[in-house]
């Protein structure tokens, strides 16, 4: 181990420390470094792994999970829909997930309505409302003030087209809103199809592909506009395939995706 260089060492950039006028000098290694660094899990993969484990047909053990505010919000949201989670180590990066049966049993308040705080987590505000269409009670979604400025209309329109009942509780197309399962019509659907404008966010497309993983007849999703960040849609498809779901995408000039497993099979252990 080497000591940090002093304030007079040449060639070392200085930066002001927070709350101090004294410059902070970054330490410089005297020679080559050799170390093993354990990287944190991916936020995007962690969200998809948690959601699919919460809807699987058997308990799942996830390892390498990222623990962050977004992860905690996803855990809380899926718990409202009936999934159960158990930490298996002190770091919280290994988790045992007990899935929720269909229809998803909502933890409701005295008014018979469930409530989910999405914070500012895009995966929670876009992925979880689709699941509320498969629940046994209505669910209200809200989040941080900044989250209320993020678009939701394409997803909500698609859910309404699939038979869910969507009630806007503020500005239409934004948080807060309520999703009612609409009598469970989506659970009875066979060969459902839906179009969604994915130009504002690829998460709208991913949300519907994840939903299709547990519909009886699957779901064909057709984006109606250019989809940004197609790599994240590809990540969703790969995540479904890794868990046994026959998801596929059509050719690039005809953007379309299908997810057709009845319930995404759980694995004894999965790497996030």
């Amino acid at each position: 181990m080497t000591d940090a260089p002093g304030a007079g060492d040449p060639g070392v950039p200085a930066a002001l420390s927070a709350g101090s006028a004294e410059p902070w000098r970054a330490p410089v290694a005297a020679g080559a470094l050799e170390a093993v660094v354990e990287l944190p899990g991916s936020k995007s993969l962690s969200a998809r792994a948690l959601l699919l484990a919460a809807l699987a047909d058997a308990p799942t053990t996830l390892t390498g999970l990222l623990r962050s505010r977004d992860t905690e919000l996803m855990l809380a949201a899926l718990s409202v829909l009936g999934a159960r989670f158990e930490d298996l180590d002190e770091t919280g990066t290994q988790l045992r997930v007990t899935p929720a049966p269909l229809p998803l049993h909502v933890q409701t308040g005295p008014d018979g309505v469930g409530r989910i705080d999405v914070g500012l987590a895009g995966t929670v505000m876009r992925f979880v409302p689709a699941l509320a269409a498969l629940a046994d009670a209505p669910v209200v979604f809200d989040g941080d003030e900044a989250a209320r400025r993020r678009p939701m209309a394409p997803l909500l329109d698609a859910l309404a087209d699939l038979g869910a009942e969507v009630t806007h509780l503020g500005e239409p197309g934004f948080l807060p809103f309520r999703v009612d399962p609409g009598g469970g019509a989506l659970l009875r659907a066979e060969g459902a199809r839906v179009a969604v404008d994915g130009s504002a966010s690829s998460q709208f497309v991913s949300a519907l592909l994840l939903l299709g993983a547990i519909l009886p007849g699957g779901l064909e999703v057709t984006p109606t506009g250019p989809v940004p960040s197609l790599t994240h849609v590809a990540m969703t498809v790969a995540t479904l395939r890794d868990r046994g779901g026959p998801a596929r995408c059509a050719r690039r000039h005809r953007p379309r995706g299908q997810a057709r497993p009845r319930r995404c099979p759980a694995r004894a252990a999965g790497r996030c």
Side-chain angles (χ1 to χ4, degrees), residues 167-191:
T167 304
H168 301 281
L169 303 178
E171 183 179 352
F174 296 87
L175 292 164
F177 55 81
R178 187 175 82 171
V179 177
D180 190 290
L186 196 50
L187 281 173
R188 300 188 298 271
E190 291 286 345

Side-chain angles (χ1 to χ4, degrees), residues 23 30 34 44 54 80-82 124 159 172 184 203 252 260:
E34 182 177 348
S44 297
V80 171
L81 298 180
V124 181
L159 293 179
Q203 290 174 339
R252 187 167 292 184
R260 300 192 61 83

Side-chain angles (χ1 to χ4, degrees), residues 17-227:
S17 302
S20 172
E22 293 295 325
W24 176 79
R25 299 283 179 173
V28 177
L33 296 176
E34 182 177 348
V36 176
V37 178
E38 184 173 346
L39 298 177
S42 159
K43 181 172 70 172
S44 297
L45 282 174
S46 291
R48 289 160 173 78
L50 283 171
L51 187 144
L52 290 175
L55 300 170
D57 56 7
T60 303
T61 298
L62 298 176
T63 60
L65 195 73
L66 174 70
R67 297 311 288 255
S68 64
R69 186 191 181 210
D70 283 18
T71 303
E72 300 306 317
L73 289 165
M74 180 64 81
L75 290 169
L78 296 173
S79 296
V80 171
L81 298 180
R84 294 293 174 261
F85 304 93
E86 177 188 1
D87 286 326
L88 299 181
D89 64 2
E90 294 180 354
T91 66
T93 60
Q94 187 174 18
L95 204 64
R96 182 74 166 170
V97 184
T98 301
L102 293 177
L104 301 174
H105 180 60
V106 179
Q107 305 299 311
T108 64
D111 58 355
V113 176
R115 284 175 170 76
I116 288 178
D117 175 15
V118 307
L120 195 56
T123 52
V124 181
M125 73 177 69
R126 271 73 180 266
F127 292 178
V128 181
L131 303 185
L134 307 178
D136 61 3
V139 181
V140 170
F141 293 84
D142 201 358
D144 295 355
E145 188 63 32
R148 292 186 172 190
R149 298 192 292 271
R150 299 181 68 175
M152 291 293 304
L155 176 64
L156 299 180
D157 291 345
L159 293 179
D161 289 344
L162 289 169
E165 297 178 8
V166 177
T167 304
H168 301 281
L169 303 178
E171 183 179 352
F174 296 87
L175 292 164
F177 55 81
R178 187 175 82 171
V179 177
D180 190 290
L186 196 50
L187 281 173
R188 300 188 298 271
E190 291 286 345
R193 296 181 178 183
V194 70
V196 62
D197 181 0
S199 58
S201 174
S202 66
Q203 290 174 339
F204 299 146
V205 179
S206 287
L208 294 168
L209 289 173
L210 293 167
L211 172 65
I214 54 173
L215 292 183
L219 179 63
E220 182 176 302
V221 182
T222 302
T224 59
V227 180

